[in-house]
Amino acid sequence: MEKTDHTFHYPHPFELESGATLPGFQLRYTVLGRLNEDRSNVIWICHALTGNSDFTDWWRQLVQPGGPFDPEHYLIICANVLGGCYGSTGPLSLNPKTGEPYFHDFPELTNRDVVRAFSLLRQELRFKKIHTLLGGSLGGQHVLSWAILEPDLFERISPIACNAFHSPWGIAFNEAQRMAIAADSSWPERDARAGYQGLQAARAIGILSYRNYEAFGKTQAEKTHPVTRDFRAASYQRYQGEKLSKRFNAITYWRLTRMMDSHQVGFGYESVEAGLQQIKAQTLVIGVASDLLFPVTEQEFLVRNIEHAALQIIHSLYGHDGFLIEFDQLQGIIKKFLNTSVVGAVA
Ligand code: COA
């Protein structure tokens, strides 16, 4: 079965939480599988910070025949976030008012803005129920934000390696990355390549938070000793920076990291706990034991405060990146979740 890519156009003004209004927007989305007769088999995936809508690129193992979301049985969908650079409206899109790209003028977004945009796409597709909503990292923040906004929509959710509000530690990492971008003298230019070198440094900083001491020790140790220059770890950092800068841009990166920083499910409620208590879906929270960026204590907090929630922990050398690497564990955990009617029994 082949995946297909589509674009949803929303032609009306869309007010953002910041008070700014987009004159309209579009969302790029990828679909795999078929809707069943009673439209009850929709799996909605939310992608991470620099991800795209093509989940077959980065989560193929979960959506292949025999995986937890077999396209023979499910319709699987993922949309590029509003503010993104993979076909959805974002900083590089044309501002219809000026006829030029928005660039740095693109307004601030929140995770709630993103999931309200997703919901307009969902309504267009006439999905009245979502079987399972899942995503990791920024995608996990979207899962929580959407399940709070529309609690009756989801039967099951799985927020992975994420949190109820972004931590001071996470915000500090993101600010350090934005400082690297701002230190690039090209950053103020109204150009898609503004902050290009800075983005490379930002990615290298980000990678430190996605991995840890042990992961670098295992994957980037020198093969011959003694080595006093041309370190593998150094070349890895440069490679990761260059690779991202070829497929992303600094203005979008800036906006999306700010969006992550502003994540706070307690917004509009009495407390963070009260926000989480809105969630009605059967919930499987997944954490990675070695995650430095979203430590397991954050997922334990989610489980304590979401009514029907259980926790599963992935064991990985790779820290936060574990949710993009440990497919055997993820597949097993998610399959079990889908076959369990009462959450609590999966733990
Ligand atoms: N010097 C130069 N390049 C090196 C290297 C070195 N010493 N060691 C590895 N590489 C290259 C690899 O060849 C590979 O290249 P490719 O991507 O072009 O194939 C790349 O670095 C990644 O290798 P590695 O990190 O070992 O792969 P992995 O399978 O362990 O991890 C990813 C895969 C996708 C998780 C990881 O590469 C990545 O991109 N992490 C960031 C993901 C992310 O954005 N997380 C944030 C979520 S908010």
Side-chain angles (χ1 to χ4, degrees):
M1 200 169 286
E2 283 298 303
K3 54 140 183 149
T4 51
D5 294 311
H6 311 263
T7 304
F8 164 58
H9 295 275
Y10 184 74
H12 311 291
F14 184 68
E15 194 176 338
L16 304 170
E17 281 194 314
S18 65
T21 300
L22 287 174
F25 65 81
Q26 68 176 46
L27 293 180
R28 185 82 170 156
Y29 65 99
T30 300
V31 176
L32 177 66
R34 252 182 241 110
L35 204 54
N36 61 7
E37 254 175 40
D38 56 2
R39 308 176 84 78
S40 62
N41 65 337
V42 176
I43 308 298
W44 196 300
I45 294 177
C46 297
H47 68 73
L49 182 66
T50 65
N52 57 19
S53 68
D54 187 359
F55 49 84
T56 65
D57 248 12
W58 40 270
W59 255 5
R60 184 176 43 80
Q61 289 83 342
L62 302 191
V63 296
Q64 64 193 4
F69 303 117
D70 187 332
E72 288 297 329
H73 303 298
Y74 294 105
L75 178 140
I76 308 142
I77 179 170
C78 173
N80 182 214
V81 294
L82 185 63
C85 57
Y86 286 107
S88 293
T89 299
L92 300 193
S93 305
L94 276 193
N95 179 348
K97 281 193 188 144
T98 62
E100 285 183 3
Y102 288 96
F103 292 129
H104 307 71
D105 300 336
F106 194 79
E108 293 265 359
L109 291 171
T110 65
N111 286 334
R112 285 176 300 273
D113 292 325
V114 168
V115 300
R116 279 193 304 120
F118 286 171
S119 194
L120 290 168
L121 166 59
R122 167 194 72 81
Q123 288 163 44
E124 169 81 8
L125 298 174
R126 296 188 298 117
F127 298 158
K128 293 207 169 75
K129 277 273 173 200
I130 305 282
H131 181 291
T132 303
L133 171 71
L134 75 161
S137 199
L138 181 70
Q141 294 183 342
H142 290 148
V143 167
L144 293 169
S145 304
W146 200 356
I148 290 170
L149 187 75
E150 296 187 291
D152 293 316
L153 183 60
F154 305 99
E155 284 166 30
R156 291 163 192 270
I157 64 168
S158 186
I160 304 171
C162 66
N163 48 18
F165 57 92
H166 210 41
S167 65
W169 175 245
I171 293 166
F173 261 112
N174 283 342
E175 184 66 15
Q177 294 178 65
R178 289 187 295 266
M179 287 165 70
I181 291 172
D184 181 330
S185 59
S186 73
W187 170 236
E189 291 171 13
R190 292 182 67 78
D191 190 284
R193 283 175 61 91
Y196 184 82
Q197 300 272 350
L199 177 62
Q200 297 186 1
R203 180 63 163 183
I205 295 168
I207 290 286
L208 299 178
S209 69
Y210 307 151
R211 301 253 157 157
N212 53 42
Y213 180 93
E214 284 76 22
F216 269 83
K218 176 84 191 274
T219 65
Q220 299 302 328
E222 298 304 327
K223 292 183 174 151
T224 51
H225 285 279
V227 173
T228 53
R229 47 179 291 185
D230 300 330
F231 298 105
R232 292 181 69 217
S235 126
Y236 182 73
Q237 290 294 81
R238 281 197 307 276
Y239 180 78
Q240 289 284 358
E242 279 163 26
K243 193 174 169 192
L244 184 76
S245 67
K246 286 180 191 149
R247 67 174 182 87
F248 221 79
N249 68 84
I251 309 176
T252 303
Y253 199 80
W254 187 288
R255 273 287 163 269
L256 297 190
T257 54
R258 293 272 297 187
M259 180 164 89
M260 182 182 265
D261 289 356
S262 70
H263 176 64
Q264 169 52 274
V265 300
F267 185 81
Y269 299 94
E270 257 179 29
S271 61
V272 182
E273 289 85 347
L276 291 174
Q277 281 154 16
Q278 305 305 307
I279 297 176
K280 292 184 183 168
Q282 303 269 305
T283 301
L284 175 65
V285 180
I286 301 177
V288 184
S290 55
D291 191 338
L292 293 182
L293 187 56
F294 295 83
V296 165
T297 48
E298 297 194 331
Q299 291 95 58
E300 289 168 349
F301 178 80
L302 295 176
V303 173
R304 275 202 303 280
N305 291 289
I306 298 175
E307 193 172 353
H308 306 288
L311 177 66
Q312 285 281 350
I313 300 297
I314 292 174
H315 297 280
S316 175
L317 175 73
Y318 295 98
H320 186 58
D321 266 354
F323 85 94
L324 293 168
I325 294 176
E326 305 295 349
F327 292 113
D328 286 350
Q329 292 183 60
L330 264 178
Q331 291 201 43
I333 288 170
I334 295 172
K335 274 186 181 170
K336 206 165 160 191
F337 174 51
L338 295 177
N339 292 328
T340 314
S341 57
V342 181
V343 165
V346 293

